[in-house]
Amino acid sequence: MSIEHDTGSSLSELFTDDPLSESLAALIQQMRPGDRLPSERDLAAQLDVSRTALRDRLGMLEGLGVLRRRTGAGTFVETLRPDALALALNLAISSSHLPLPSLESVRIALERQAAAEAARRADPVLIAYMKRAIDTMAATERRTDVLDADRAFHQSLLRAAGNPSLTFFAEALSSVLTKDLADRSERLESETLSTSRQALLVDHHTRIYDAILAGDPDAAMRAVDEHFDAIGSS
């Protein structure tokens, strides 16, 4: 039975209801980064599809960073990068007409989970990077340095969780939300960073840090919620 679809399939079909793409995904999952796929001729025969349809799907997967075609050498499996996933997310979001700000709650959920896992793991070295970011945030008088320290803190939080999947998806989502985050940063940079506001930011991040250092997952998640609630209302 042929699993070939027309090469003019819609974007949603390519991602959610395309047996050929699903078969390629199943094959790739059995392989390691650096492994070479069978030749187009052999793979088309194996999957019972035309080489035209196969080449279309291989090109799509290459565009997403899952595969890399090397002239004269073949097609190889690649390690998927967060920025490549961000491309797929952007395409899916655009076709689904999802408002970007609505994804912010997903990002917050990832950070809440990261905080809980970091508290359970309690790696003193990785947690120390969070403290360093807080110290920088408290000591600097430049708005841009405060924003850089804020980003460094949240990156350190994700690393402290020790969960590569959380880090991967958070980075991919951050890439999707780049414009929204950039607009927020621009608004903050255009405002006068008062001593009280800076102290508030330091206090919020310190509460997250203290809860993680104390090994209290529930308190860590509450602190993350309070931090983002305060940002959203500011």
Side-chain angles (χ1 to χ4, degrees):
M1 177 181 176
S2 173
I3 59 174
E4 179 179 346
H5 274 201
D6 293 337
T7 57
S9 299
S10 70
L11 180 64
S12 60
E13 288 175 333
L14 286 175
F15 277 98
T16 62
D17 189 25
D18 179 9
L20 174 50
S21 293
E22 291 175 3
S23 296
L24 284 171
L27 174 64
I28 292 169
Q29 287 173 354
Q30 299 171 21
M31 305 175 73
R32 296 175 177 269
D35 286 350
R36 185 174 65 180
L37 266 65
S39 67
E40 274 191 12
R41 183 189 302 274
D42 291 342
L43 192 55
Q46 177 183 331
L47 299 177
D48 190 22
V49 299
S50 71
R51 293 179 67 179
T52 299
L54 176 62
R55 195 173 296 119
D56 173 72
R57 302 315 192 274
L58 291 175
M60 179 188 72
L61 292 172
E62 184 180 23
L64 294 175
V66 177
L67 300 175
R68 175 180 294 182
R69 287 188 276 193
R70 303 174 189 169
T71 304
T75 302
F76 296 82
V77 177
E78 290 283 292
T79 299
L80 183 62
R81 304 181 313 277
D83 59 329
L85 178 60
L87 172 61
L89 286 173
N90 268 317
L91 291 172
I93 289 166
S94 296
S95 65
S96 301
H97 305 291
L98 291 174
L100 282 179
S102 70
L103 296 176
E104 183 68 14
S105 61
V106 180
R107 173 174 170 256
I108 295 170
L110 290 172
E111 294 219 17
R112 289 179 80 254
Q113 184 62 28
E117 294 189 19
R120 295 189 188 100
R121 190 164 181 253
D123 185 310
V125 175
L126 293 174
I127 293 175
Y129 283 103
M130 298 168 60
K131 182 63 166 62
R132 186 169 69 176
I134 294 172
D135 290 343
T136 300
M137 197 182 303
T140 186
E141 296 180 357
R142 299 177 56 189
R143 292 190 302 272
T144 54
D145 288 345
V146 171
L147 294 172
D148 287 343
D150 181 34
R151 283 188 285 267
F153 177 90
H154 290 281
Q155 289 168 354
S156 298
L157 167 61
L158 290 164
R159 287 195 293 269
N163 185 331
S165 295
L166 277 174
T167 303
F168 180 88
F169 285 107
E171 289 181 0
L173 197 56
S174 291
S175 296
V176 173
L177 292 169
T178 294
K179 185 178 185 304
D180 186 57
L181 294 173
D183 289 345
R184 178 181 297 171
S185 294
E186 185 177 341
R187 288 196 304 272
L188 289 175
E189 288 176 4
S190 66
E191 298 172 356
T192 299
L193 185 64
S194 65
T195 302
S196 60
R197 181 178 177 83
Q198 184 173 354
L200 190 63
L201 288 172
V202 171
D203 179 60
H204 287 163
H205 290 86
T206 300
R207 290 183 187 182
I208 298 171
Y209 165 80
D210 286 344
I212 291 173
L213 187 64
D216 189 335
D218 291 335
M221 289 190 290
R222 284 197 303 271
V224 169
D225 285 339
E226 290 168 1
H227 170 57
F228 282 104
D229 284 345
I231 290 177
S233 62
S234 62

